[in-house]
């Protein structure tokens, strides 16, 4: 604690950082909880002949947040894999990722570092259709790349290690960067994949569309079923809830420590003030007692201890100012406390 009982700068900074982290974690927890509640309250609709009738009865021909499950089918042409034969899809993502080791000057360790140096995503219009053939109901999926969770399957992955000479190795150690190689990856949303879509379902003329919702809720195109997707979000909510409790407890502990320090400092100040008051009261009481006894008591008191009666006459100066105990305690050579003249002899004084 600093002077005046105020928290130190380090304690104030620790409390501020802990409070800010708690608020940040709590904000993420509330957002995750809102998403989980929205998913739990989403309307589950079936991809069958009754879907069009459901949308016709809905306000504005729209279900703001709906869950629908179907199979991916391309509308026109499909995208072919560049590396795998007979692999067709509607979303294709090609990625080149650099892998290298970077020297950390703080920990003095080599750390893995990954960087995407090129990525391209190709899409083609596609629908969700029922797994059972013959119903004829399709849902057009709009803006699939805006989905918070877009399930893409890795169909090709190859790592190209970097070739290094001895001179390159020496240069890499000096520069603090050691390239490991380039990883080439192809991901696709293949035709025939079972997909769970969560978003806004709207009837636009004769076309049923699944698009990102307008209420700020996330848009999902996931390969897992809806129950698994909901369980995943609820697990995230529990994780962030535990983090919120942990950081909140840490903040309370820091606050308790600071308040305890302030309380102890306040108690010490109160105790010191009480001692000062008692000393002042004792002084006042002594002065009152001395005043009650009269001026004669103070007049005949020893000038050194102010408690015993004067009982010594110092010669040759003739001053009567000390009791015998205080005279004996005077340092050698003994001098009169009044005039500082050397004391040659002492004559006892008897008051009758």
């Amino acid at each position: 604690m600093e002077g005046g009982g105020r928290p130190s700068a380090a304690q104030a900074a620790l409390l501020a950082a802990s409070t800010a982290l708690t608020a940040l974690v709590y904000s993420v927890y509330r957002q995750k909880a809102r998403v989980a509640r929205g998913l739990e309250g989403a309307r589950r609709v079936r991809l069958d002949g009754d879907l069009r009738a459901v949308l016709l009865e809905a306000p504005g021909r729209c279900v703001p947040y709906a869950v629908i499950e179907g199979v991916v089918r391309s509308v026109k042409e499909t995208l072919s894999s560049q590396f795998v034969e007979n692999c067709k899809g509607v979303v294709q993502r090609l990625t080149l990722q650099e892998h290298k080791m970077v020297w950390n000057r703080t920990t003095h360790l080599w750390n893995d570092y990954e960087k995407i140096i090129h990525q391209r995503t190709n899409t083609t219009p596609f629908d969700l259709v029922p797994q059972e053939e013959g119903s004829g109901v399709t849902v057009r999926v709009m803006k699939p790349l805006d989905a918070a969770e877009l399930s893409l399957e890795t169909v090709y992955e190859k790592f190209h290690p970097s070739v290094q000479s001895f001179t390159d190795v020496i240069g890499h150690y000096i520069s603090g960067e050691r390239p490991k190689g380039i990883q080439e990856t192809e991901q696709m949303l293949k035709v025939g994949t079972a997909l769970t879509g969560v978003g806004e379902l709207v009837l636009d003329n004769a076309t049923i569309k699944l698009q990102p919702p307008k209420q700020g809720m996330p848009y999902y195109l996931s390969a897992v079923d809806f129950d698994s997707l909901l369980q995943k979000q609820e697990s995230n909510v529990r994780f962030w809830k535990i983090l919120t409790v942990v950081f909140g407890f840490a903040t309370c502990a820091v606050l308790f420590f600071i308040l305890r320090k302030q309380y102890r400092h306040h108690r010490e100040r109160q105790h010191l003030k009480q001692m000062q008051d008692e000393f002042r009261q004792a002084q006042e009481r002594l002065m009152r007692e001395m005043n009650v006894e009269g001026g004669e008591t103070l007049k005949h008191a020893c000038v050194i201890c102010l408690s015993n009666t004067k009982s010594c006459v110092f010669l040759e100066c003739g001053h009567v100012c000390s009791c015998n105990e205080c005279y004996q305690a005077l340092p050698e050579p003994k001098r009169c406390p009044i005039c500082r003249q050397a004391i040659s002899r002492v004559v006892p004084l008897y008051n009758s």
Side-chain angles (χ1 to χ4, degrees), residues 23-39:
L24 178 62
V25 173
Y26 178 69
S27 175
V28 176
Y29 160 69
R30 289 193 60 183
Q31 180 183 1
K32 297 291 184 181
R34 184 177 65 87
V35 170
R37 288 195 301 269
L39 270 178

Side-chain angles (χ1 to χ4, degrees), residues 142-315:
M142 311 299 296
K143 300 180 180 179
L145 299 183
D146 292 347
E149 182 175 330
L150 178 61
S151 297
L152 299 179
E153 179 183 351
T154 301
V155 297
Y156 176 81
E157 187 174 20
K158 185 175 183 181
F159 184 76
H160 303 276
S162 59
V163 180
Q164 304 175 14
S165 64
F166 180 76
T167 305
D168 294 334
V169 173
I170 298 299
H172 296 154
Y173 271 96
I174 295 175
S175 64
E177 293 186 1
R178 293 164 47 190
K180 297 171 63 177
I182 302 296
Q183 183 173 346
E184 190 176 15
T185 307
E186 182 182 24
Q187 297 173 297
M188 296 190 72
L189 178 59
K190 295 193 294 186
V191 174
T193 302
L195 209 62
T196 301
V198 184
E200 183 183 67
L201 201 61
V202 60
L203 178 62
D204 185 8
N205 295 328
T207 305
I208 303 175
K209 297 180 179 179
L210 179 67
Q211 58 191 17
K214 297 183 176 64
Q215 297 88 355
M217 297 297 294
Y219 182 37
Y220 293 102
L221 293 173
S222 177
V224 300
D225 59 276
F226 177 71
D227 293 333
S228 300
L229 183 63
L230 182 59
Q231 290 178 2
K232 179 180 177 181
Q233 296 303 319
E234 291 176 345
S235 176
N236 286 336
V237 171
R238 287 192 296 269
F239 171 76
W240 285 102
K241 183 178 182 179
I242 293 173
L243 277 186
T244 302
V245 172
V246 170
F247 278 99
F249 179 78
T251 303
C252 292
V254 173
L255 182 60
F256 173 77
F257 173 78
I258 294 176
L259 292 178
R260 181 172 177 268
K261 286 286 188 180
Q262 287 184 319
Y263 174 73
R264 292 180 62 182
H265 183 80
H266 175 72
R267 288 289 301 273
E268 291 174 358
R269 289 177 58 188
Q270 290 292 106
H271 183 63
L272 179 59
K273 183 180 179 182
Q274 182 180 357
M275 292 177 62
Q276 290 175 345
D277 292 341
E278 291 177 354
F279 180 74
R280 184 171 58 254
Q281 292 173 4
Q283 282 185 324
E284 293 174 353
R285 185 168 58 252
L286 179 61
M287 293 300 296
R288 285 195 302 268
E289 291 177 355
M290 295 176 66
N291 290 334
V292 169
E293 292 177 358
E296 292 297 325
T297 302
L298 192 59
K299 178 180 178 181
H300 294 290
C302 172
V303 298
I304 298 176
C305 65
L306 296 176
S307 58
N308 297 329
T309 305
K310 299 174 183 178
S311 60
C312 296
V313 180
F314 297 151
L315 299 178

Side-chain angles (χ1 to χ4, degrees), residues 52-64:
R52 190 177 300 273
V54 170
L55 291 174
L56 287 173
E57 295 176 358
R61 296 185 177 183
C62 171
V63 178

